[in-house]
Amino acid sequence: MAGVLIVSELLRAAVNWVRDVQSELLRDYISFLIHQKSIDADLAFYESADFYDHLHRARDEAGYRPVALLENLGSLLQNGITLLAMGAVLVPFGLWLPAALLLSTLPALYVVLRDALRRHEWRVRSTPHERRAWYYDWLMTTGQTAAELRLFGLGNLFRDSYQKLRRRLRTEQIELARRRGLAELGAAAAGLAVTGGSMAWMIWRALGGGVTLGDLALFYQAFNQGQRLMRSLLDQVGQIYYNSLFLGNLFEFLDLQSRIEGRAASRVSVCPRTVKEREGGRTDISLIPEVRFEGVSFRYPGANVPVLRDFDLVVPARRITAVVGPNGSGKSTLIKLICRLYDPDAGSVRWEGVDLRQLDLDVLRRSITVLFQQPVRYNDTVHDNIGFGDVGRIVLSDEIRAAARAAGADGPVARLPGGYETLLGKSFRSGAELSVGEWQRIALARAFLRQAPILLLDEPTSSMDSWAEADWLERLRVHAEGRTVLIITHRFTTAMQADTIHVMAEGRIRESGSHAELVARGGLYADSWHRQTARDSSWATVGD
Ligand code: ADP
């Protein structure tokens, strides 16, 4: 007895340890899989609510469901063995007794499985509402929205909307629990009837002298215990079923197929050569490519109208090309297509005549550096915020400083208490906040750090004042020297710096030429230019 007690205590401690280690490892591994999928998924996935539903369910439950599944399996095995022993005790009283035991739990099995399925279906159905509740929660608790929330008094509105959604979800969940409770009651009654019948039969035999009182006690104990074990076994089966439905969900998420094929299609070596030469030292001018849109038609996933229809454009090598035009005309879409965040529905984007789809995706993206319209504000040091522009190699501090100077970020950085080692953003202790324009310059420095042959800038000066803009444009000329540069802008002062300006409206190029040519032509560009200069001079008069 002493030996058994000691061993069982030792085993208990060991089991707890294994459970903790296993759950930590498994949780992290599943998170790794989810993160890997999220990183690799096409950008288009992030525009589908369905993807977010899958992601939400996978992420929300990844922490505990796989661990619970493993534990359920363990308990199932354990209880199964004990149950077999109980069955063996009952056999001498009659072979039909273990069968009756099994039969008495069938209604409960049905209840448990149906409940697991119902709960799962409810979970899938209610994910959009859960996500919306989560979204309200985020709106109320993040710093990004705090100012507007207060100014427009939106806090109460969002709090009530959150509560309303939660109330609905809660009511549905309580209803599920109520139905489960009732069904369980019915199943338990069926189980009790079988126990009662078996006991009556045993008592009848005892009265007839067929069995002793000791046998009766043993029978009662074994039958009762067996039923209890069956119930917990059933619960575990239900849990396993429910958790495996979740795993189905997770695998569905992990199985989502990307449409942007990158690695398999790498048949042409134009890009690798360009990159190799560049890594060997300075950028080799002869390898700077021309980018060409040929008959490109493109519609965003789920959108009704195409953004581009039979679109042609040449972005010549070693030149600065600007695209200007009203909002929504498809300018930023051009950048997304060059980066292969999307592929065109028809036509092609070509790199020195080679369809981008023929190039290795990684190498293509390493050959491009880009400033997006809404760059990410990494809550990290200034050094890392810029260094993230080229993580594939060891970046020297001097290079970071040079990129910052080129982007006009050196001034704001010098004012920070820790210089390049200052933590940016307010999420972590001792972080410093920058103005929108200063953040934009940091993002520009990040784009400049990567010495890529193609430089794509989406509204690079939108948050700069006119003094900073003039200063920056001068630096851009030096930095862009010999590269293929595409600038999307709505500022004439920025566009003027380009060798060629294209005016884009409703997905088409309407006019092209240098600033002087376009002004002289008297078309769309000239019209906007005259209106803007007239407005600026009237401002100057007011200022005077
Ligand atoms: P621009 O840069 O000229 O302002 P965009 O290229 O960003 O214009 O967008 C062109 C059009 O495509 C707009 O009408 C916009 O509504 C639509 N659009 C942009 N991004 C998406 C998207 N991710 N999904 C669906 N439609 C989009």
Side-chain angles (χ1 to χ4, degrees):
M1 279 288 286
V4 167
L5 281 177
I6 291 171
V7 170
S8 73
E9 281 309 315
L10 282 176
L11 282 179
R12 199 195 315 276
V15 162
N16 282 342
W17 182 77
V18 168
R19 183 186 295 142
D20 286 350
V21 171
Q22 176 181 271
S23 79
E24 290 295 319
L25 287 175
L26 196 60
R27 193 198 333 252
D28 288 347
Y29 179 65
I30 301 278
S31 299
F32 169 81
L33 290 180
I34 293 174
H35 291 161
Q36 190 62 44
K37 190 72 206 174
S38 310
I39 297 166
D40 288 343
D42 288 351
L43 201 66
F45 282 149
Y46 286 92
E47 283 158 18
S48 115
D50 208 33
F51 173 81
Y52 283 110
D53 286 350
H54 272 92
L55 181 61
H56 177 80
R57 283 195 296 269
R59 206 169 41 179
D60 202 32
E61 308 189 354
Y64 64 97
R65 290 230 175 271
V67 178
L69 188 62
L70 266 182
E71 287 192 2
N72 292 148
L73 281 171
S75 311
L76 188 73
L77 193 71
Q78 196 182 4
N79 287 342
I81 292 170
T82 322
L83 191 69
L84 278 182
M86 288 297 153
V89 172
L90 288 177
V91 167
F93 297 107
L95 254 180
W96 64 273
L97 278 172
L101 190 67
L102 208 67
L103 210 70
S104 71
T105 46
L106 280 185
L109 177 68
Y110 173 71
V111 168
V112 159
L113 292 184
R114 198 186 53 172
D115 177 66
L117 191 64
R118 263 197 200 150
R119 272 193 299 152
H120 176 72
E121 284 170 354
W122 175 79
R123 189 76 223 282
V124 172
R125 232 180 14 251
S126 63
T127 308
H129 304 300
E130 268 181 23
R131 280 206 301 113
R132 183 151 278 280
W134 175 86
Y135 174 66
Y136 287 133
D137 176 79
W138 176 81
L139 281 176
M140 287 181 286
T141 53
T142 179
Q144 290 170 42
T145 57
E148 272 208 24
L149 228 70
R150 278 150 186 74
L151 190 78
F152 293 117
L154 297 172
N156 291 347
L157 183 75
F158 292 151
R159 190 198 53 211
D160 293 346
S161 302
Y162 175 85
Q163 287 300 334
K164 202 168 144 203
L165 272 173
R166 280 300 313 155
R167 205 165 25 248
R168 176 178 167 176
L169 290 170
R170 199 171 57 231
T171 312
E172 287 175 359
Q173 228 166 355
I174 291 173
E175 172 61 18
L176 276 177
R178 190 185 67 83
R179 285 165 74 174
R180 181 192 160 112
L182 283 178
E184 270 182 346
L185 216 61
L192 272 180
V194 175
T195 315
S198 310
M199 275 305 286
W201 178 74
M202 278 298 284
I203 290 169
W204 174 72
R205 280 188 65 194
L207 288 177
V211 292
T212 64
L213 264 182
D215 284 340
L216 195 62
L218 180 69
F219 167 82
Y220 176 74
Q221 285 289 337
F223 202 85
N224 219 4
Q225 177 102 351
Q227 253 193 344
R228 225 175 304 135
L229 275 171
M230 280 300 276
R231 288 308 301 271
S232 63
L233 216 75
L234 284 181
D235 273 346
Q236 274 135 25
V237 169
Q239 288 290 331
I240 288 172
Y241 182 53
Y242 187 52
N243 289 330
S244 62
L245 287 175
F246 157 75
L247 276 196
N249 232 321
L250 177 69
F251 290 134
E252 254 176 50
F253 173 75
L254 295 177
D255 275 348
L256 289 174
Q257 294 299 323
S258 294
R259 280 182 56 211
I260 309 251
E261 275 294 327
R263 283 134 206 103
S266 55
R267 291 184 284 270
V268 180
S269 61
V270 176
C271 281
R273 255 179 62 228
T274 313
V275 169
K276 202 159 153 241
E277 296 291 333
R278 187 168 55 77
E279 279 167 358
R282 290 169 56 79
T283 312
D284 182 341
I285 301 290
S286 64
L287 296 171
I288 306 293
E290 165 203 279
V291 177
R292 187 183 281 264
F293 288 77
E294 278 184 4
V296 169
S297 297
F298 175 69
R299 179 168 47 187
Y300 280 101
N304 294 328
V305 273
V307 183
L308 303 174
R309 217 180 277 136
D310 208 13
F311 180 84
D312 295 311
L313 175 72
V314 179
V315 184
R318 300 184 290 282
R319 292 278 180 279
I320 299 182
T321 306
V323 177
V324 297
N327 288 337
S329 50
K331 304 183 300 295
S332 303
T333 306
L334 302 182
I335 288 188
K336 293 182 196 165
L337 289 175
I338 297 176
C339 299
R340 280 202 74 203
L341 296 177
Y342 302 92
D343 279 336
D345 301 325
S348 57
V349 184
R350 296 184 170 267
W351 167 296
E352 282 292 314
V354 180
D355 191 331
L356 292 187
R357 282 172 285 211
Q358 304 259 307
L359 304 176
D360 184 288
L361 189 60
D362 284 341
V363 180
L364 169 74
R365 288 192 181 154
R366 266 189 278 133
S367 310
I368 296 173
T369 187
V370 54
L371 170 76
F372 287 108
Q373 204 168 4
Q374 289 167 341
V376 182
R377 301 174 178 189
Y378 297 101
N379 280 217
D380 224 314
T381 60
V382 177
H383 182 282
D384 284 349
N385 257 283
I386 300 175
F388 284 158
D390 209 352
V391 285
R393 64 188 181 92
I394 298 167
V395 178
L396 304 174
S397 294
D398 283 350
E399 290 177 79
I400 301 268
R401 283 163 205 271
R405 262 196 308 281
D410 50 343
V413 175
R415 288 194 290 276
L416 292 171
Y420 284 84
E421 292 311 316
T422 313
L423 198 65
L424 296 183
K426 286 284 182 187
S427 299
F428 302 104
R429 197 180 285 252
S430 73
E433 193 49 277
L434 298 177
S435 74
V436 179
E438 288 167 340
W439 270 112
Q440 192 174 34
R441 287 182 218 193
I442 297 284
L444 258 175
R446 178 159 64 241
F448 282 174
L449 181 74
R450 183 182 285 200
Q451 299 289 308
I454 296 188
L455 177 59
L456 308 174
L457 304 170
D458 197 349
E459 301 286 5
T461 53
S462 58
S463 305
M464 287 186 196
D465 54 61
S466 45
W467 297 283
E469 186 193 8
D471 174 45
W472 181 78
L473 287 170
E474 265 174 43
R475 298 180 208 219
L476 173 72
R477 272 265 154 221
V478 178
H479 187 78
E481 178 70 31
R483 291 166 201 249
T484 304
V485 182
L486 177 65
I487 304 182
I488 307 291
T489 182
H490 66 272
R491 285 200 175 187
F492 290 101
T493 35
T494 305
M496 279 165 67
Q497 301 297 317
D499 299 302
T500 313
I501 303 168
H502 298 282
V503 182
M504 192 169 172
E506 291 165 8
R508 288 182 192 285
I509 300 293
R510 296 298 168 94
E511 294 170 11
S512 303
S514 68
H515 173 72
E517 286 165 359
L518 287 172
V519 172
R521 182 188 286 193
L524 275 175
Y525 184 89
D527 195 34
S528 296
W529 165 256
H530 290 311
R531 266 190 284 143
Q532 191 173 31
T533 42
R535 200 169 55 229
D536 287 351
S537 55
S538 71
W539 274 113
T541 321
V542 173
D544 289 345

